[in-house]
Amino acid sequence: MPLSDRIRRLAEKFSEPPRQSSAGAPQYSAPSSREPPQLPPRPSINSNSSRIQENEAEHASLEWSSEDPCAVLGGSGARALPNTYKVRRDIVDSRLLAHAVPTNAWWQNLIIEGGDQPVLVAPYMVKCLGETVVVCAPTPLEEDRFVASVWHNDWTIRVPGCARHRVAAFDALSVTVDYVETSAAADGSDRAAAVASLPLVKGSAFATVVFNRPTVLGLESVHAVLKVDCAAYGPGAAVVELNNGATWLVCYEGNAVLRHLDGSRIESSEAVQGSVRLALIPGSDSSSSGSRHDAITALLSARKAVPVGGSVDVQATDSEAVFEITWSTAGQGGDPAMCTLPHHRQTMADGCVEPMDAVAPFWSSKGPMHVVRGRVWRLTEQLEPLGFSGPVPLTDAAHIRRLCELVAADAASLPADASALPPDPYFFGKALARAARIALIAEEVGDHASSQHAADLAVAWFEPWILGTNGNALVYDTEWRGMVSRAGLHDPGADFGQGRYNDHHFHYGYFVYAAAVLARLRPGWLDERRRAFVDLLVRDFCTPLGARAPSAAAGAASLVPPHYFPQMRCFDMYDGHSWAAGLFAFADSRNQESTSEAINAYYGAYLYAQTTGRPHLARYVRAVLQLEARGTRTYWHLGDLASGLYPESYAHDKAIVGILWSTKVDYATFFGANPEFIYGIQFLPLTPASALILKRSWLADIWPRYLDSVSRNSASPQWREIIDLALAVVDKQAAFERIAGTSAHDDGNSASNSYYWVATAPEA
């Protein structure tokens, strides 16, 4: 199957329906039981997202541009149009609509389609349904081709007097859902009507509901309740045992006791007010009574520290990046109990958190989550050298001669007629980046004529997309605030779901990479008009956190400049990688398939920032790129940076994840089940940035076990070449021999690029 036939269908078979089991903000004093501990006001809707730099000048330096996209695109309105798929104004607080609403966030399921699919808060899954909050501590379903999180209604929490909920606030690490009275305004503007709030904070060891008025607490489980112990740990704490073997800790304010009503329901003896917190005691189905007691005691020590949000501060030099995560809490309980993923523990600074070893790790589909206490996490990444040229300098005269032959042929084969190019932004972007790459390689080996020819064509191809005169112009979506294809505005399936914000970093990464190369080769090409357009594309997926975030308190009038794009549309600062899925709801929540195209996106943005003289932005994006590489090597590459994350039932005969979902690991792609597709989509395109994820230690191990046979058994020369190119970091000569007879290339690749990658691939 040719790679150009690839279709990213959002088919249900790649996301099973919900499975049923057989069974920041300022601190404030914890109020008394008569005063509900309402969530503290957030100083801005997104201002908790980051404190990137301390002064206004450096904040400005982290903006690609503050220009109004409508003005950049001509000002007539022809290229600024509303999406036919609308924001759920009944679910999103009206004040948030003054800002860009996220499209690819981990909590996206809350505000799209029916709003009834689960979100992974990690370690818990949560649904917001009518007047209830449903909490699940997922359990694994392990198969040969996937590992999934089984949903079960562990606890349904009633919020009496409410018929609906709304997203009231969000930041880089959390979202707050308010449960409001039926008498509240239909547009969700009456925040005073919130009778309960749900702070969903990534990594919280507790699931929390804050009741803002006295409420009889009612809990119901899909499992039978075996025992409710309200005496062992003092007032406001109950230990509940269920018939599936799980033990839960329930904490609440006041002196009420929880009564077991019948087989699966419990209720408080009197009204409670304030924070109600539920925590699974991990491993309780197999732990001894002593270890269970220690775990409960440890969690109780953090019950009063309620996480309500978080911020991420990125500080980077040319060689090192530090991601500082600061958790915002309500109450006076000290540091919150939070859960770490495997990639956090790889780079976390010694001493910044206190391990809660008494609490066993939580299960997650991405590996064990260990509980720690600490308000500030410091994660340090060492930045590998990276630029336009390959990791190994091109000095061998024979390689240079061969590349001159190949690049001349590649440049000559580029179509002069732009109408021969694909009309959609994904495949056109690949073609554009391919031409730019040919021009760059030709320049490096001294073939200036071929470089000029390829660059001339790339410039000519690019111009109609900049002007909007191509058949499928890129326009500014005034509803969700982003750049989308005109076809995608009206057709959710057009251009791989582009108008619903699927894969934007993949698509625009190719454009931005090409722009960086052309700006390097032809500084005069990137004039004010073209630069403003390319800025729109990079702003769409790579607007840094904290870039002059608006103030919620002051409302829309405080937007200086207006919030034209979401901050870091695809990138998840907690999970350490991007999400490609946009405005489509799935039972398995968010997903990303091609990590290598995510790497290419941030690589392109990094080069573009460098070439256009924006060093603060370049360092910021370089830091994000390194974290994306770590996420790739940890969660998609089995046995690379981490071993044993996935069960042997999945890992026994493979070394890759094809699609990583929030709650599922899939050995699959959206366009086919062939092994060369599943591995190859994690390798292409091959550029100098590929060295960040294609490491000799990993590939030397998996080549003889898996990749050699994957390549030999492939019927597609394009896909076979992509697999063979990975061999370059293990055995250059063997890789040269493998690609020597290749006559067909991926539509984003060329003979000269393949040869260049092998010649300059890292040797260690």
Side-chain angles (χ1 to χ4, degrees):
M1 172 182 175
L3 188 59
S4 60
D5 289 341
R6 169 178 174 219
I7 301 296
R8 295 176 180 276
R9 293 187 302 270
L10 296 167
E12 291 184 0
K13 66 179 179 179
F14 293 110
S15 182
E16 284 85 8
R19 307 173 186 85
Q20 297 296 328
S21 69
S22 59
Q27 296 185 36
Y28 67 99
S29 300
S32 70
S33 60
R34 296 186 301 276
E35 300 176 67
Q38 297 180 356
L39 300 183
R42 295 172 185 249
S44 81
I45 297 301
N46 282 323
S47 63
N48 287 339
S49 298
S50 182
R51 294 174 288 104
I52 306 298
Q53 304 290 351
E54 292 299 322
N55 57 64
E56 184 63 24
E58 294 211 348
H59 270 296
S61 71
L62 279 176
E63 290 175 357
W64 297 99
S65 168
S66 60
E67 288 191 74
D68 184 339
C70 301
V72 172
L73 297 174
S76 65
R79 295 182 72 185
L81 301 166
N83 203 308
T84 55
Y85 185 71
K86 302 301 183 182
V87 178
R88 288 285 304 271
R89 285 164 171 76
D90 58 326
I91 296 179
V92 179
D93 190 301
S94 62
R95 295 178 304 166
L96 299 184
L97 300 180
H99 319 299
V101 177
T103 57
N104 299 64
W106 58 268
W107 50 269
Q108 205 70 44
N109 273 357
L110 293 174
I111 63 170
I112 54 177
E113 299 183 17
D116 56 354
Q117 293 299 319
V119 297
L120 178 68
V121 189
Y124 305 107
M125 296 168 69
V126 173
K127 291 182 182 180
C128 296
L129 303 174
E131 64 171 8
T132 64
V133 179
V134 189
V135 177
C136 166
T139 49
L141 175 61
E142 301 172 1
E143 299 290 345
D144 177 67
R145 298 182 69 89
F146 67 87
V147 180
S149 302
V150 178
W151 170 271
H152 25 74
N153 295 358
D154 287 326
W155 292 110
T156 299
I157 307 168
R158 299 195 311 272
V159 184
C162 300
R164 63 188 185 88
H165 56 271
R166 66 183 180 213
V167 169
F170 61 86
D171 58 37
L173 300 169
S174 75
V175 61
T176 299
V177 180
D178 281 352
Y179 280 72
V180 297
E181 294 176 320
T182 55
S183 59
D187 65 359
S189 60
D190 183 10
R191 185 166 172 79
V195 299
S197 296
L198 179 65
L200 299 175
V201 183
K202 288 298 285 279
S204 175
F206 291 83
T208 303
V209 179
V210 180
F211 288 96
N212 297 326
R213 60 184 63 171
T215 304
V216 174
L217 176 61
L219 303 173
E220 183 172 0
S221 178
V222 71
H223 314 290
V225 175
L226 300 181
K227 182 180 179 181
V228 179
D229 183 352
C230 293
Y233 295 96
V239 177
V240 182
E241 298 178 12
L242 304 177
N243 74 338
N244 68 335
T247 299
W248 289 75
L249 174 64
V250 182
C251 302
Y252 47 92
E253 304 292 331
N255 296 314
V257 296
L258 297 187
R259 301 177 298 190
H260 185 187
L261 297 183
D262 55 32
S264 61
R265 294 187 303 143
I266 59 179
E267 186 176 86
S268 62
S269 59
E270 58 187 73
V272 301
Q273 191 171 0
S275 297
V276 173
R277 312 197 70 196
L278 288 75
L280 175 73
I281 308 304
S284 53
D285 54 348
S286 58
S287 0
S288 68
S289 59
S291 59
R292 189 181 78 167
H293 169 76
D294 292 343
I296 293 171
T297 301
L299 288 169
L300 280 170
S301 70
R303 62 179 288 192
K304 296 289 187 179
V306 181
V308 296
S311 65
V312 183
D313 181 23
V314 183
Q315 301 170 3
T317 66
D318 291 337
S319 60
E320 183 179 89
V322 177
F323 293 83
E324 187 173 278
I325 294 175
T326 302
W327 302 106
S328 303
T329 59
Q332 293 183 328
D335 293 338
M338 306 298 294
C339 299
T340 61
L341 284 167
H343 79 279
H344 296 139
R345 300 190 292 276
Q346 293 168 6
T347 62
M348 189 171 290
D350 292 340
C352 69
V353 298
E354 175 189 353
M356 296 181 71
D357 294 331
V359 184
F362 285 86
W363 180 85
S364 84
S365 59
K366 296 176 84 168
M369 300 188 71
H370 293 250
V371 185
V372 300
R373 290 196 75 175
R375 190 177 302 275
V376 179
W377 296 3
R378 294 182 182 86
L379 313 174
T380 303
E381 292 286 347
Q382 302 304 315
L383 305 182
E384 303 170 45
L386 183 64
F388 282 92
S389 299
V392 176
L394 190 62
T395 57
D396 187 287
H399 289 333
I400 294 173
R401 284 195 300 271
R402 180 58 178 150
L403 275 169
C404 284
E405 296 170 0
L406 293 173
V407 81
D410 284 338
S413 70
L414 294 172
D417 183 1
S419 66
L421 298 170
D424 69 279
Y426 176 68
F427 286 117
F428 173 80
K430 292 184 72 173
L432 182 67
R434 177 179 182 268
R437 194 118 187 88
I438 290 169
L440 186 66
I441 293 169
E443 187 69 19
E444 186 169 340
V445 299
D447 184 351
H448 303 300
S450 293
S451 178
Q452 179 173 336
H453 177 68
D456 282 345
L457 289 175
V459 165
W461 298 351
F462 209 155
E463 194 67 9
W465 288 77
I466 295 172
L467 296 173
T469 57
N470 61 306
N472 187 18
L474 296 178
V475 301
Y476 181 69
D477 172 12
T478 57
E479 179 74 11
W480 291 93
R481 307 197 188 192
M483 297 294 294
V484 300
S485 67
R486 188 182 294 272
L489 276 179
H490 306 284
D491 181 357
D495 305 334
F496 310 117
Q498 227 265 357
R500 295 283 185 94
Y501 292 89
N502 281 356
D503 303 349
H504 272 214
H505 56 327
F506 299 165
H507 297 193
Y508 297 145
Y510 287 111
F511 283 78
V512 174
Y513 172 80
V517 171
L518 293 175
R520 177 183 174 89
L521 297 178
R522 297 185 174 185
W525 169 76
L526 196 68
D527 59 16
E528 183 177 351
R529 174 179 61 86
R530 296 185 180 98
R531 172 169 163 156
F533 177 80
V534 178
D535 280 355
L536 291 182
L537 301 186
V538 73
R539 289 164 69 189
D540 179 90
F541 71 90
C542 200
T543 291
L545 299 177
R548 290 187 180 179
S551 167
S558 70
L559 297 176
V560 184
H563 214 46
Y564 293 121
F565 297 92
Q567 297 178 359
M568 299 307 293
R569 183 185 300 280
C570 303
F571 196 80
D572 188 319
M573 285 288 180
Y574 179 85
D575 282 77
H577 59 77
S578 298
W579 297 116
L583 302 174
F584 295 89
F586 295 100
D588 297 315
S589 200
R590 303 294 86 202
N591 68 69
Q592 177 161 270
E593 184 182 59
S594 180
T595 56
S596 48
E597 288 182 298
I599 291 291
N600 184 64
Y602 301 115
Y603 175 52
Y606 167 65
L607 295 179
Y608 180 67
Q610 279 194 321
T611 305
T612 54
R614 293 181 266 200
H616 293 296
L617 274 168
R619 286 193 289 270
Y620 180 94
V621 179
R622 181 65 189 84
V624 170
L625 172 57
Q626 196 70 42
L627 186 52
E628 184 85 45
R630 178 171 297 280
T632 298
R633 296 179 61 200
T634 301
Y635 302 116
W636 278 262
H637 293 185
L638 277 66
D640 187 351
L641 284 180
S643 298
L645 295 190
Y646 306 128
E648 188 62 18
S649 58
Y650 178 87
H652 70 99
D653 63 349
K654 61 187 71 72
I656 203 75
V657 170
I659 307 171
L660 186 76
W661 302 77
S662 299
T663 63
K664 181 183 176 186
V665 172
D666 248 338
Y667 186 67
T669 73
F670 285 118
F671 55 93
N674 292 18
E676 64 268 33
F677 302 168
I678 299 171
Y679 282 92
I681 200 62
Q682 307 303 335
F683 296 167
L684 64 81
L686 276 298
T687 72
S690 302
L692 298 178
I693 56 175
L694 296 181
K695 298 297 185 181
R696 181 184 180 90
S697 57
W698 181 59
L699 287 163
D701 176 53
I702 71 168
W703 184 267
R705 294 200 291 148
Y706 307 119
L707 289 182
D708 184 34
S709 63
V710 168
S711 169
R712 294 185 187 279
N713 293 332
S714 176
S716 164
Q718 297 98 323
W719 283 105
R720 184 167 57 249
E721 182 187 41
I722 295 296
I723 302 300
D724 288 341
L725 289 172
L727 181 59
V729 302
V730 178
D731 187 335
K732 284 182 182 290
Q733 187 55 41
F736 276 128
E737 293 170 1
R738 291 254 190 164
I739 68 171
T742 302
S743 57
H745 308 281
D746 166 45
D747 41 21
N749 197 26
S750 63
S752 55
N753 185 59
S754 291
Y755 194 98
Y756 182 92
W757 161 255
V758 177
T760 64
E763 299 173 322

